[in-house]
PDB file of all heavy atoms in Angstrom:
ATOM      1  N   VAL A   1    -100.339  85.852 -25.395  1.00 98.00           N
ATOM      2  CA  VAL A   1    -100.857  87.134 -24.575  1.00 98.00           C
ATOM      3  C   VAL A   1    -101.736  86.678 -23.401  1.00 98.00           C
ATOM      4  O   VAL A   1    -102.391  85.764 -23.568  1.00 98.00           O
ATOM      5  CB  VAL A   1    -101.525  88.081 -25.610  1.00 98.00           C
ATOM      6  CG1 VAL A   1    -102.764  87.251 -26.335  1.00 98.00           C
ATOM      7  CG2 VAL A   1    -101.988  89.447 -25.017  1.00 98.00           C
ATOM      8  N   ILE A   2    -101.581  87.544 -22.430  1.00 97.00           N
ATOM      9  CA  ILE A   2    -102.451  87.377 -21.336  1.00 97.00           C
ATOM     10  C   ILE A   2    -103.145  88.740 -20.992  1.00 97.00           C
ATOM     11  O   ILE A   2    -102.349  89.650 -20.738  1.00 97.00           O
ATOM     12  CB  ILE A   2    -101.794  86.793 -19.993  1.00 97.00           C
ATOM     13  CG1 ILE A   2    -102.717  86.414 -18.953  1.00 97.00           C
ATOM     14  CG2 ILE A   2    -100.550  87.609 -19.615  1.00 97.00           C
ATOM     15  CD1 ILE A   2    -102.080  85.540 -17.915  1.00 97.00           C
ATOM     16  N   THR A   3    -104.409  88.823 -20.791  1.00 96.00           N
ATOM     17  CA  THR A   3    -105.098  90.069 -20.522  1.00 96.00           C
ATOM     18  C   THR A   3    -104.986  90.433 -19.067  1.00 96.00           C
ATOM     19  O   THR A   3    -104.482  89.537 -18.209  1.00 96.00           O
ATOM     20  CB  THR A   3    -106.518  89.963 -20.938  1.00 96.00           C
ATOM     21  OG1 THR A   3    -107.222  89.008 -20.132  1.00 96.00           O
ATOM     22  CG2 THR A   3    -106.740  89.545 -22.360  1.00 96.00           C
ATOM     23  N   SER A   4    -105.511  91.546 -18.653  1.00 94.00           N
ATOM     24  CA  SER A   4    -105.490  91.880 -17.194  1.00 94.00           C
ATOM     25  C   SER A   4    -106.282  90.912 -16.423  1.00 94.00           C
ATOM     26  O   SER A   4    -106.119  90.653 -15.302  1.00 94.00           O
ATOM     27  CB  SER A   4    -105.979  93.330 -17.035  1.00 94.00           C
ATOM     28  OG  SER A   4    -107.221  93.398 -17.676  1.00 94.00           O
ATOM     29  N   GLY A   5    -107.355  90.436 -17.047  1.00 94.00           N
ATOM     30  CA  GLY A   5    -108.259  89.402 -16.489  1.00 94.00           C
ATOM     31  C   GLY A   5    -107.744  87.905 -16.334  1.00 94.00           C
ATOM     32  O   GLY A   5    -108.494  87.137 -15.807  1.00 94.00           O
ATOM     33  N   GLY A   6    -106.668  87.750 -17.060  1.00 95.00           N
ATOM     34  CA  GLY A   6    -106.253  86.380 -16.935  1.00 95.00           C
ATOM     35  C   GLY A   6    -106.414  85.489 -18.231  1.00 95.00           C
ATOM     36  O   GLY A   6    -106.027  84.359 -18.372  1.00 95.00           O
ATOM     37  N   SER A   7    -107.190  86.041 -19.163  1.00 97.00           N
ATOM     38  CA  SER A   7    -107.509  85.362 -20.416  1.00 97.00           C
ATOM     39  C   SER A   7    -106.250  85.293 -21.262  1.00 97.00           C
ATOM     40  O   SER A   7    -105.435  86.225 -21.291  1.00 97.00           O
ATOM     41  CB  SER A   7    -108.622  85.990 -21.201  1.00 97.00           C
ATOM     42  OG  SER A   7    -109.856  86.037 -20.475  1.00 97.00           O
ATOM     43  N   THR A   8    -106.137  84.148 -22.033  1.00 98.00           N
ATOM     44  CA  THR A   8    -104.925  83.917 -22.673  1.00 98.00           C
ATOM     45  C   THR A   8    -105.206  83.597 -24.152  1.00 98.00           C
ATOM     46  O   THR A   8    -106.306  82.974 -24.500  1.00 98.00           O
ATOM     47  CB  THR A   8    -104.065  82.801 -21.974  1.00 98.00           C
ATOM     48  OG1 THR A   8    -104.872  81.537 -22.061  1.00 98.00           O
ATOM     49  CG2 THR A   8    -103.556  83.092 -20.655  1.00 98.00           C
ATOM     50  N   ASN A   9    -104.122  83.720 -24.955  1.00 98.00           N
ATOM     51  CA  ASN A   9    -104.236  83.374 -26.466  1.00 98.00           C
ATOM     52  C   ASN A   9    -102.808  83.009 -26.883  1.00 98.00           C
ATOM     53  O   ASN A   9    -101.805  83.627 -26.433  1.00 98.00           O
ATOM     54  CB  ASN A   9    -104.895  84.547 -27.186  1.00 98.00           C
ATOM     55  CG  ASN A   9    -105.441  83.997 -28.519  1.00 98.00           C
ATOM     56  OD1 ASN A   9    -105.647  82.796 -28.702  1.00 98.00           O
ATOM     57  ND2 ASN A   9    -105.898  84.926 -29.382  1.00 98.00           N
ATOM     58  N   TYR A  10    -102.792  82.143 -27.737  1.00 98.00           N
ATOM     59  CA  TYR A  10    -101.562  81.567 -28.270  1.00 98.00           C
ATOM     60  C   TYR A  10    -101.455  81.457 -29.724  1.00 98.00           C
ATOM     61  O   TYR A  10    -102.341  81.149 -30.370  1.00 98.00           O
ATOM     62  CB  TYR A  10    -101.239  80.177 -27.691  1.00 98.00           C
ATOM     63  CG  TYR A  10    -101.217  80.190 -26.129  1.00 98.00           C
ATOM     64  CD1 TYR A  10    -102.425  79.824 -25.473  1.00 98.00           C
ATOM     65  CD2 TYR A  10    -100.031  80.304 -25.388  1.00 98.00           C
ATOM     66  CE1 TYR A  10    -102.311  79.873 -23.965  1.00 98.00           C
ATOM     67  CE2 TYR A  10    -100.001  80.307 -24.033  1.00 98.00           C
ATOM     68  CZ  TYR A  10    -101.053  80.035 -23.386  1.00 98.00           C
ATOM     69  OH  TYR A  10    -101.066  80.013 -22.009  1.00 98.00           O
ATOM     70  N   ALA A  11    -100.127  81.597 -30.166  1.00 98.00           N
ATOM     71  CA  ALA A  11     -99.970  81.287 -31.650  1.00 98.00           C
ATOM     72  C   ALA A  11    -100.246  79.681 -31.786  1.00 98.00           C
ATOM     73  O   ALA A  11    -100.003  78.917 -30.933  1.00 98.00           O
ATOM     74  CB  ALA A  11     -98.492  81.580 -31.982  1.00 98.00           C
ATOM     75  N   ASN A  12    -100.765  79.398 -32.993  1.00 98.00           N
ATOM     76  CA  ASN A  12    -100.998  77.982 -33.262  1.00 98.00           C
ATOM     77  C   ASN A  12     -99.735  77.120 -33.039  1.00 98.00           C
ATOM     78  O   ASN A  12     -99.877  75.952 -32.671  1.00 98.00           O
ATOM     79  CB  ASN A  12    -101.607  77.834 -34.619  1.00 98.00           C
ATOM     80  CG  ASN A  12    -103.008  78.322 -34.803  1.00 98.00           C
ATOM     81  OD1 ASN A  12    -103.795  78.474 -33.827  1.00 98.00           O
ATOM     82  ND2 ASN A  12    -103.353  78.703 -35.978  1.00 98.00           N
ATOM     83  N   SER A  13     -98.632  77.719 -33.355  1.00 97.00           N
ATOM     84  CA  SER A  13     -97.339  76.908 -33.474  1.00 97.00           C
ATOM     85  C   SER A  13     -96.923  76.467 -31.870  1.00 97.00           C
ATOM     86  O   SER A  13     -96.156  75.503 -31.797  1.00 97.00           O
ATOM     87  CB  SER A  13     -96.377  77.543 -34.120  1.00 97.00           C
ATOM     88  OG  SER A  13     -95.983  78.911 -33.461  1.00 97.00           O
ATOM     89  N   VAL A  14     -97.669  77.082 -30.970  1.00 98.00           N
ATOM     90  CA  VAL A  14     -97.103  76.888 -29.671  1.00 98.00           C
ATOM     91  C   VAL A  14     -98.316  76.273 -28.664  1.00 98.00           C
ATOM     92  O   VAL A  14     -98.006  76.005 -27.519  1.00 98.00           O
ATOM     93  CB  VAL A  14     -96.480  78.039 -28.915  1.00 98.00           C
ATOM     94  CG1 VAL A  14     -95.308  78.523 -29.770  1.00 98.00           C
ATOM     95  CG2 VAL A  14     -97.487  79.164 -28.472  1.00 98.00           C
ATOM     96  N   LYS A  15     -99.486  76.342 -29.287  1.00 98.00           N
ATOM     97  CA  LYS A  15    -100.554  75.875 -28.382  1.00 98.00           C
ATOM     98  C   LYS A  15    -100.318  74.458 -27.934  1.00 98.00           C
ATOM     99  O   LYS A  15     -99.872  73.497 -28.551  1.00 98.00           O
ATOM    100  CB  LYS A  15    -101.914  75.869 -29.323  1.00 98.00           C
ATOM    101  CG  LYS A  15    -102.545  77.182 -29.451  1.00 98.00           C
ATOM    102  CD  LYS A  15    -103.870  77.188 -30.212  1.00 98.00           C
ATOM    103  CE  LYS A  15    -104.407  78.522 -30.353  1.00 98.00           C
ATOM    104  NZ  LYS A  15    -105.533  78.383 -31.173  1.00 98.00           N
ATOM    105  N   GLY A  16    -100.640  74.179 -26.635  1.00 98.00           N
ATOM    106  CA  GLY A  16    -100.481  72.987 -25.970  1.00 98.00           C
ATOM    107  C   GLY A  16     -98.987  72.709 -25.511  1.00 98.00           C
ATOM    108  O   GLY A  16     -98.806  71.647 -24.739  1.00 98.00           O
ATOM    109  N   ARG A  17     -98.133  73.616 -25.854  1.00 98.00           N
ATOM    110  CA  ARG A  17     -96.781  73.433 -25.434  1.00 98.00           C
ATOM    111  C   ARG A  17     -96.369  74.638 -24.403  1.00 98.00           C
ATOM    112  O   ARG A  17     -95.501  74.322 -23.532  1.00 98.00           O
ATOM    113  CB  ARG A  17     -95.817  73.301 -26.552  1.00 98.00           C
ATOM    114  CG  ARG A  17     -96.099  72.151 -27.385  1.00 98.00           C
ATOM    115  CD  ARG A  17     -94.981  71.883 -28.614  1.00 98.00           C
ATOM    116  NE  ARG A  17     -94.901  73.200 -29.431  1.00 98.00           N
ATOM    117  CZ  ARG A  17     -93.732  73.928 -29.504  1.00 98.00           C
ATOM    118  NH1 ARG A  17     -92.627  73.700 -28.826  1.00 98.00           N
ATOM    119  NH2 ARG A  17     -93.751  74.864 -30.354  1.00 98.00           N
ATOM    120  N   PHE A  18     -96.755  75.711 -24.862  1.00 98.00           N
ATOM    121  CA  PHE A  18     -96.408  77.019 -23.989  1.00 98.00           C
ATOM    122  C   PHE A  18     -97.615  77.395 -23.094  1.00 98.00           C
ATOM    123  O   PHE A  18     -98.728  77.296 -23.451  1.00 98.00           O
ATOM    124  CB  PHE A  18     -96.051  78.121 -24.976  1.00 98.00           C
ATOM    125  CG  PHE A  18     -94.674  77.850 -25.740  1.00 98.00           C
ATOM    126  CD1 PHE A  18     -94.078  76.671 -25.821  1.00 98.00           C
ATOM    127  CD2 PHE A  18     -94.100  79.038 -26.262  1.00 98.00           C
ATOM    128  CE1 PHE A  18     -92.958  76.519 -26.412  1.00 98.00           C
ATOM    129  CE2 PHE A  18     -93.030  78.774 -27.148  1.00 98.00           C
ATOM    130  CZ  PHE A  18     -92.347  77.622 -27.102  1.00 98.00           C
ATOM    131  N   THR A  19     -97.278  77.996 -21.980  1.00 98.00           N
ATOM    132  CA  THR A  19     -98.174  78.571 -21.047  1.00 98.00           C
ATOM    133  C   THR A  19     -97.722  79.881 -20.657  1.00 98.00           C
ATOM    134  O   THR A  19     -96.659  80.125 -20.034  1.00 98.00           O
ATOM    135  CB  THR A  19     -98.435  77.712 -19.891  1.00 98.00           C
ATOM    136  OG1 THR A  19     -98.855  76.255 -20.280  1.00 98.00           O
ATOM    137  CG2 THR A  19     -99.606  78.270 -19.050  1.00 98.00           C
ATOM    138  N   ILE A  20     -98.582  80.917 -20.763  1.00 98.00           N
ATOM    139  CA  ILE A  20     -98.268  82.259 -20.362  1.00 98.00           C
ATOM    140  C   ILE A  20     -99.002  82.484 -18.938  1.00 98.00           C
ATOM    141  O   ILE A  20    -100.240  82.043 -18.889  1.00 98.00           O
ATOM    142  CB  ILE A  20     -98.632  83.348 -21.327  1.00 98.00           C
ATOM    143  CG1 ILE A  20     -98.193  84.715 -20.892  1.00 98.00           C
ATOM    144  CG2 ILE A  20    -100.118  83.395 -21.595  1.00 98.00           C
ATOM    145  CD1 ILE A  20     -98.256  85.819 -21.958  1.00 98.00           C
ATOM    146  N   SER A  21     -98.424  83.164 -18.082  1.00 98.00           N
ATOM    147  CA  SER A  21     -99.075  83.436 -16.844  1.00 98.00           C
ATOM    148  C   SER A  21     -98.457  84.647 -16.218  1.00 98.00           C
ATOM    149  O   SER A  21     -97.551  85.295 -16.701  1.00 98.00           O
ATOM    150  CB  SER A  21     -98.790  82.250 -15.757  1.00 98.00           C
ATOM    151  OG  SER A  21     -97.405  82.094 -15.489  1.00 98.00           O
ATOM    152  N   ARG A  22     -99.218  85.253 -15.197  1.00 97.00           N
ATOM    153  CA  ARG A  22     -98.867  86.525 -14.669  1.00 97.00           C
ATOM    154  C   ARG A  22     -98.967  86.458 -13.041  1.00 97.00           C
ATOM    155  O   ARG A  22     -99.841  85.739 -12.612  1.00 97.00           O
ATOM    156  CB  ARG A  22     -99.648  87.617 -15.234  1.00 97.00           C
ATOM    157  CG  ARG A  22    -101.096  87.672 -14.891  1.00 97.00           C
ATOM    158  CD  ARG A  22    -101.660  88.682 -15.818  1.00 97.00           C
ATOM    159  NE  ARG A  22    -101.325  90.024 -15.485  1.00 97.00           N
ATOM    160  CZ  ARG A  22    -101.411  91.150 -16.293  1.00 97.00           C
ATOM    161  NH1 ARG A  22    -101.944  90.979 -17.433  1.00 97.00           N
ATOM    162  NH2 ARG A  22    -101.076  92.306 -15.740  1.00 97.00           N
ATOM    163  N   GLU A  23     -98.241  87.142 -12.437  1.00 96.00           N
ATOM    164  CA  GLU A  23     -98.187  87.348 -10.999  1.00 96.00           C
ATOM    165  C   GLU A  23     -98.243  88.788 -10.602  1.00 96.00           C
ATOM    166  O   GLU A  23     -97.230  89.562 -10.683  1.00 96.00           O
ATOM    167  CB  GLU A  23     -96.950  86.678 -10.328  1.00 96.00           C
ATOM    168  CG  GLU A  23     -97.028  86.361  -8.900  1.00 96.00           C
ATOM    169  CD  GLU A  23     -95.968  85.635  -8.346  1.00 96.00           C
ATOM    170  OE1 GLU A  23     -95.126  85.209  -9.218  1.00 96.00           O
ATOM    171  OE2 GLU A  23     -96.022  85.242  -7.246  1.00 96.00           O
ATOM    172  N   ASN A  24     -99.478  89.357 -10.559  1.00 94.00           N
ATOM    173  CA  ASN A  24     -99.658  90.756 -10.398  1.00 94.00           C
ATOM    174  C   ASN A  24     -98.880  91.447  -9.168  1.00 94.00           C
ATOM    175  O   ASN A  24     -98.459  92.521  -9.157  1.00 94.00           O
ATOM    176  CB  ASN A  24    -101.113  91.092 -10.231  1.00 94.00           C
ATOM    177  CG  ASN A  24    -101.823  90.940 -11.670  1.00 94.00           C
ATOM    178  OD1 ASN A  24    -101.135  90.882 -12.806  1.00 94.00           O
ATOM    179  ND2 ASN A  24    -103.120  90.832 -11.761  1.00 94.00           N
ATOM    180  N   ALA A  25     -98.903  90.601  -8.085  1.00 94.00           N
ATOM    181  CA  ALA A  25     -98.281  90.994  -6.918  1.00 94.00           C
ATOM    182  C   ALA A  25     -96.861  91.338  -6.975  1.00 94.00           C
ATOM    183  O   ALA A  25     -96.303  92.168  -6.198  1.00 94.00           O
ATOM    184  CB  ALA A  25     -98.565  90.110  -5.698  1.00 94.00           C
ATOM    185  N   LYS A  26     -96.241  90.699  -7.973  1.00 96.00           N
ATOM    186  CA  LYS A  26     -94.746  90.907  -8.169  1.00 96.00           C
ATOM    187  C   LYS A  26     -94.526  91.541  -9.495  1.00 96.00           C
ATOM    188  O   LYS A  26     -93.255  91.646  -9.917  1.00 96.00           O
ATOM    189  CB  LYS A  26     -94.131  89.553  -8.243  1.00 96.00           C
ATOM    190  CG  LYS A  26     -94.264  88.815  -6.820  1.00 96.00           C
ATOM    191  CD  LYS A  26     -93.415  87.515  -6.856  1.00 96.00           C
ATOM    192  CE  LYS A  26     -93.277  86.803  -5.529  1.00 96.00           C
ATOM    193  NZ  LYS A  26     -92.521  85.521  -5.596  1.00 96.00           N
ATOM    194  N   ASN A  27     -95.497  91.987 -10.277  1.00 95.00           N
ATOM    195  CA  ASN A  27     -95.216  92.646 -11.571  1.00 95.00           C
ATOM    196  C   ASN A  27     -94.442  91.812 -12.504  1.00 95.00           C
ATOM    197  O   ASN A  27     -93.598  92.239 -13.162  1.00 95.00           O
ATOM    198  CB  ASN A  27     -94.527  93.968 -11.414  1.00 95.00           C
ATOM    199  CG  ASN A  27     -95.494  95.151 -10.890  1.00 95.00           C
ATOM    200  OD1 ASN A  27     -96.616  94.770 -10.299  1.00 95.00           O
ATOM    201  ND2 ASN A  27     -95.126  96.269 -10.883  1.00 95.00           N
ATOM    202  N   MET A  28     -94.822  90.353 -12.559  1.00 97.00           N
ATOM    203  CA  MET A  28     -94.043  89.411 -13.375  1.00 97.00           C
ATOM    204  C   MET A  28     -95.032  88.848 -14.350  1.00 97.00           C
ATOM    205  O   MET A  28     -96.274  88.574 -14.035  1.00 97.00           O
ATOM    206  CB  MET A  28     -93.460  88.360 -12.461  1.00 97.00           C
ATOM    207  CG  MET A  28     -92.294  89.012 -11.490  1.00 97.00           C
ATOM    208  SD  MET A  28     -90.991  89.419 -12.332  1.00 97.00           S
ATOM    209  CE  MET A  28     -90.359  87.808 -12.956  1.00 97.00           C
ATOM    210  N   VAL A  29     -94.460  88.502 -15.471  1.00 97.00           N
ATOM    211  CA  VAL A  29     -95.143  87.670 -16.314  1.00 97.00           C
ATOM    212  C   VAL A  29     -94.021  86.583 -16.848  1.00 97.00           C
ATOM    213  O   VAL A  29     -93.009  86.725 -16.904  1.00 97.00           O
ATOM    214  CB  VAL A  29     -95.688  88.422 -17.625  1.00 97.00           C
ATOM    215  CG1 VAL A  29     -94.540  89.140 -18.413  1.00 97.00           C
ATOM    216  CG2 VAL A  29     -96.500  87.586 -18.466  1.00 97.00           C
ATOM    217  N   TYR A  30     -94.840  85.334 -16.969  1.00 98.00           N
ATOM    218  CA  TYR A  30     -93.895  84.098 -17.383  1.00 98.00           C
ATOM    219  C   TYR A  30     -94.355  83.552 -18.597  1.00 98.00           C
ATOM    220  O   TYR A  30     -95.559  83.621 -19.046  1.00 98.00           O
ATOM    221  CB  TYR A  30     -94.100  83.218 -16.156  1.00 98.00           C
ATOM    222  CG  TYR A  30     -93.714  83.731 -14.841  1.00 98.00           C
ATOM    223  CD1 TYR A  30     -94.764  84.158 -14.009  1.00 98.00           C
ATOM    224  CD2 TYR A  30     -92.447  83.970 -14.488  1.00 98.00           C
ATOM    225  CE1 TYR A  30     -94.474  84.705 -12.755  1.00 98.00           C
ATOM    226  CE2 TYR A  30     -92.225  84.557 -13.088  1.00 98.00           C
ATOM    227  CZ  TYR A  30     -93.203  84.897 -12.391  1.00 98.00           C
ATOM    228  OH  TYR A  30     -93.106  85.375 -11.064  1.00 98.00           O
ATOM    229  N   LEU A  31     -93.429  82.759 -19.200  1.00 98.00           N
ATOM    230  CA  LEU A  31     -93.742  81.917 -20.295  1.00 98.00           C
ATOM    231  C   LEU A  31     -93.112  80.459 -20.216  1.00 98.00           C
ATOM    232  O   LEU A  31     -91.812  80.382 -20.111  1.00 98.00           O
ATOM    233  CB  LEU A  31     -93.166  82.396 -21.679  1.00 98.00           C
ATOM    234  CG  LEU A  31     -93.621  81.726 -22.848  1.00 98.00           C
ATOM    235  CD1 LEU A  31     -95.179  81.798 -23.140  1.00 98.00           C
ATOM    236  CD2 LEU A  31     -92.962  82.244 -24.213  1.00 98.00           C
ATOM    237  N   GLN A  32     -93.948  79.577 -19.717  1.00 98.00           N
ATOM    238  CA  GLN A  32     -93.331  78.259 -19.581  1.00 98.00           C
ATOM    239  C   GLN A  32     -93.462  77.444 -20.932  1.00 98.00           C
ATOM    240  O   GLN A  32     -94.402  77.425 -21.572  1.00 98.00           O
ATOM    241  CB  GLN A  32     -94.350  77.481 -18.540  1.00 98.00           C
ATOM    242  CG  GLN A  32     -93.857  75.949 -18.383  1.00 98.00           C
ATOM    243  CD  GLN A  32     -92.604  75.850 -17.627  1.00 98.00           C
ATOM    244  OE1 GLN A  32     -92.309  76.478 -16.668  1.00 98.00           O
ATOM    245  NE2 GLN A  32     -91.829  74.916 -18.148  1.00 98.00           N
ATOM    246  N   MET A  33     -92.271  77.170 -21.404  1.00 98.00           N
ATOM    247  CA  MET A  33     -92.178  76.452 -22.706  1.00 98.00           C
ATOM    248  C   MET A  33     -91.758  74.983 -22.553  1.00 98.00           C
ATOM    249  O   MET A  33     -90.547  74.673 -22.093  1.00 98.00           O
ATOM    250  CB  MET A  33     -91.191  77.298 -23.538  1.00 98.00           C
ATOM    251  CG  MET A  33     -91.401  78.726 -23.554  1.00 98.00           C
ATOM    252  SD  MET A  33     -90.294  79.580 -24.769  1.00 98.00           S
ATOM    253  CE  MET A  33     -88.651  79.340 -23.904  1.00 98.00           C
ATOM    254  N   ASN A  34     -92.592  74.128 -22.928  1.00 98.00           N
ATOM    255  CA  ASN A  34     -92.359  72.627 -22.882  1.00 98.00           C
ATOM    256  C   ASN A  34     -92.286  72.068 -24.342  1.00 98.00           C
ATOM    257  O   ASN A  34     -92.709  72.685 -25.241  1.00 98.00           O
ATOM    258  CB  ASN A  34     -93.492  71.993 -22.052  1.00 98.00           C
ATOM    259  CG  ASN A  34     -93.641  72.529 -20.680  1.00 98.00           C
ATOM    260  OD1 ASN A  34     -92.488  72.844 -20.028  1.00 98.00           O
ATOM    261  ND2 ASN A  34     -94.697  72.359 -20.018  1.00 98.00           N
ATOM    262  N   SER A  35     -91.801  70.782 -24.230  1.00 98.00           N
ATOM    263  CA  SER A  35     -91.611  70.232 -25.609  1.00 98.00           C
ATOM    264  C   SER A  35     -90.977  71.098 -26.750  1.00 98.00           C
ATOM    265  O   SER A  35     -91.480  71.011 -27.759  1.00 98.00           O
ATOM    266  CB  SER A  35     -93.023  69.708 -26.094  1.00 98.00           C
ATOM    267  OG  SER A  35     -93.522  68.710 -25.023  1.00 98.00           O
TER     268      SER A  35
END
């Protein structure tokens, strides 16, 4: 989850591997999934 202010939180199972981000100018949210 990513808040309006950009704070993030992750499930323990994906911490360190996944990254959530947002691009407000484009109304987009992303999930980068590695490993």
Side-chain angles (χ1 to χ4, degrees):
V1 60
I2 185 166
T3 68
S4 59
S7 297
T8 58
N9 202 10
Y10 298 91
N12 287 334
S13 58
V14 307
K15 277 182 183 176
R17 299 188 298 121
F18 290 11
T19 302
I20 188 170
S21 61
R22 63 191 298 157
E23 194 171 2
N24 288 342
K26 295 185 177 181
N27 285 13
M28 296 289 295
V29 62
Y30 307 99
L31 186 68
Q32 178 67 41
M33 306 186 296
N34 298 330
S35 302

